[in-house]
Amino acid sequence: MIPFLDLKAINQQYRQALVDAATRVIDSGWYVLGQEVKAFEQDFAVYCGATHCVGMANGLDALVLTLRAWKEMGKLQEGDEVIVPANTYIASVLAITENGLKPVLVEPDERSFNLCPDKVRAAITPKTKAMVAVHLYGQLAPMKALMAIAQEHQLLVLEDSAQAHGASVDGKRAGNWGHASGFSFYPGKNLGALGDAGAMTTNDPELAQTVRALGNYGSHKKYENLYQGLNSRLDEMQAALLRVKLQHLDAETRVRQEIAVAYAQGITNPLVRLPIGPDSTLDALASHVFHLFVVRVQQRAAFQAHLKAADIETLIHYPIPPHQQQAYKAYSSLQLPLTEAIHSEVVSLPIGPTMTAAQVQQVIAACNAYRG
Ligand SMILES: *Cc1c(COP(=O)(O)O)cnc(C)c1O
């Protein structure tokens, strides 16, 4: 069986370094907010090109607490509208509603699955105060155009970079485009911890300080509480493990991009709609770190069954769009045909840094043998 993502094999590559890092933490006697978190925050800020990084317990908290910090800073108020792609993973939307803000679900660009500047412009009202620019599946959203719109309309931009560690345009990476960015280090993400972990990045020192306080009981100073915060901290163990894995991230991304190019060139079945063209070159792909390689197939169930019979595991990202979830019953009357079509047709093929060339060829052959 070709697994969708072989996490065990991925972490096995760095086993000794991970064990050494874990041992260092165990032996240090210091387990929360110590040297490892500080060092990882510095390393990851440098990696993204941002001046500040704040470790958090997970990616959702990074998004929630950044929006909350803007409220505490007087930049957002309950009821403000926040633009978000309708086809995102539900966490992007949860971060908005958790703060009493109003998500405005916008149809994506059909080809990139990301926000489309024209559709964003059309969704702006006098109440719009922010947007969550999701870099879905690992591809940077059209940030130049989105930032120009934001500047024109004085909107705050929060990148949801949970799937896009290292994705760049003109050498500028996810985490350094918006006014702030949330990252997840959930084990299956491109930079994955061995448990839950997350971070936010920003070039705004006041925002960084506010988010840090919010994630530490609202305390900026021991036993003094500015805000009614909560406890959402990156812990020392995960930070130490992430420092090891960050050193290998670019090499792993390169492998993902090579697999994507191989798929784009090798899969020629017209029933399988590819996310990139067959002429895509590695250099042109800096903007996409291929957290997922998502194809569209009309008879999705049959296609998945065909691949399963060929010993290939696939997943769906995502089967139900946020506005059709029970959690968002209030939005169920929205008509979002493009989003709904995407959700009914997408299939994610296996992609990961430990896939072998033979496995990649096996996936290509199985896709080409599919007859509908
Ligand atoms: C994974 C993910 C999140 C949430 O991150 P967690 O660390 O799982 O809380 C948010 N947004 C997107 C797009 C994600 O893929």
Side-chain angles (χ1 to χ4, degrees):
M1 186 77 169
I2 299 179
F4 178 72
L5 180 69
D6 194 343
L7 274 184
K8 187 169 158 177
I10 289 171
N11 288 322
Q12 203 60 223
Q13 304 175 96
Y14 318 122
R15 189 176 187 286
Q16 195 53 53
L18 292 169
V19 168
D20 292 346
T23 304
R24 197 168 67 228
V25 174
I26 293 165
D27 293 348
S28 74
W30 193 280
Y31 307 113
V32 174
L33 296 187
Q35 291 309 311
E36 299 290 344
V37 167
K38 193 175 260 179
F40 174 73
E41 287 177 344
Q42 279 170 3
D43 292 352
F44 196 66
V46 168
Y47 181 83
C48 296
T51 51
H52 295 81
C53 170
V54 181
M56 315 244 61
N58 55 67
L60 175 58
D61 282 359
L63 299 171
V64 169
L65 292 183
T66 300
L67 293 173
R68 167 86 189 271
W70 278 330
K71 280 168 52 189
E72 299 290 355
M73 292 162 72
K75 295 187 168 191
L76 288 178
Q77 291 184 342
E78 287 206 8
D80 285 348
E81 291 180 4
V82 181
I83 289 172
V84 62
N87 61 316
T88 187
Y89 179 56
I90 197 165
S92 320
V93 186
L94 290 172
I96 297 168
T97 54
E98 176 65 24
N99 278 292
L101 302 163
K102 187 170 179 286
V104 175
L105 302 169
V106 175
E107 293 263 57
D109 171 70
E110 166 125 48
R111 181 144 175 86
S112 69
F113 301 108
N114 275 329
L115 278 177
C116 162
D118 289 341
K119 293 175 192 170
V120 167
R121 234 178 244 288
I124 293 173
T125 76
K127 290 172 114 180
T128 310
K129 292 292 176 316
M131 80 173 94
V132 177
V134 183
H135 308 311
L136 201 67
Y137 306 150
Q139 180 168 31
L140 213 71
M143 292 310 295
K144 278 187 202 167
L146 294 178
M147 292 311 292
I149 293 171
Q151 190 166 14
E152 192 181 319
H153 295 271
Q154 302 204 318
L155 309 180
L156 293 165
V157 177
L158 172 57
E159 295 171 71
D160 182 341
S161 305
Q163 305 188 354
H165 320 72
S168 69
V169 163
D170 295 347
K172 188 166 166 170
R173 284 178 158 160
N176 192 23
W177 278 96
H179 302 106
S181 175
F183 285 89
S184 168
F185 309 121
Y186 178 80
K189 300 290 161 85
N190 285 24
L191 178 59
L194 278 71
D196 275 312
M200 65 82 70
T201 59
T202 182
N203 293 319
D204 176 352
E206 188 191 349
L207 178 66
Q209 209 173 33
T210 308
V211 171
R212 193 180 290 287
L214 285 169
N216 193 28
Y217 317 109
S219 171
H220 61 303
K221 203 164 151 193
K222 202 162 189 180
Y223 302 125
E224 288 186 29
N225 299 74
L226 274 176
Y227 315 106
Q228 296 171 21
L230 41 88
N231 179 348
S232 177
R233 301 178 297 216
L234 173 61
D235 70 54
E236 285 284 285
M237 184 63 83
Q238 296 305 337
L241 301 171
L242 284 166
R243 286 176 71 192
V244 172
K245 294 197 68 182
L246 181 57
Q247 293 170 23
H248 303 282
L249 177 59
D250 285 345
E252 291 198 347
T253 297
R254 196 73 180 172
V255 177
R256 288 176 180 274
Q257 291 166 332
E258 284 165 3
I259 294 168
V261 168
Y263 281 165
Q265 291 172 351
I267 301 171
T268 53
N269 187 340
L271 297 175
V272 182
R273 226 163 117 188
L274 300 168
I276 53 171
D279 49 358
S280 301
T281 61
L282 280 177
D283 287 339
L285 286 181
S287 67
H288 203 326
V289 295
F290 291 96
H291 172 58
L292 299 169
F293 191 93
V294 177
V295 301
R296 285 178 69 174
V297 183
Q298 271 176 9
Q299 306 295 324
R300 173 171 68 193
F303 179 65
Q304 281 197 292
H306 167 82
L307 291 183
K308 191 174 176 200
D311 260 354
I312 296 164
E313 184 186 15
T314 56
L315 293 178
I316 297 171
H317 299 91
Y318 298 88
I320 306 172
H323 73 284
Q324 294 183 332
Q325 296 283 0
Q326 275 296 315
Y328 288 119
K329 283 194 292 285
Y331 294 81
S332 63
S333 62
L334 283 181
Q335 299 286 310
L336 297 163
L338 187 51
T339 293
E340 288 156 25
I342 287 170
H343 282 257
S344 68
E345 292 178 6
V346 288
V347 179
S348 304
L349 300 181
I351 192 163
T354 59
M355 265 184 97
T356 65
Q359 288 177 322
V360 171
Q361 289 311 315
Q362 198 179 321
V363 173
I364 291 171
C367 287
N368 287 337
Y370 172 65
R371 288 289 164 266

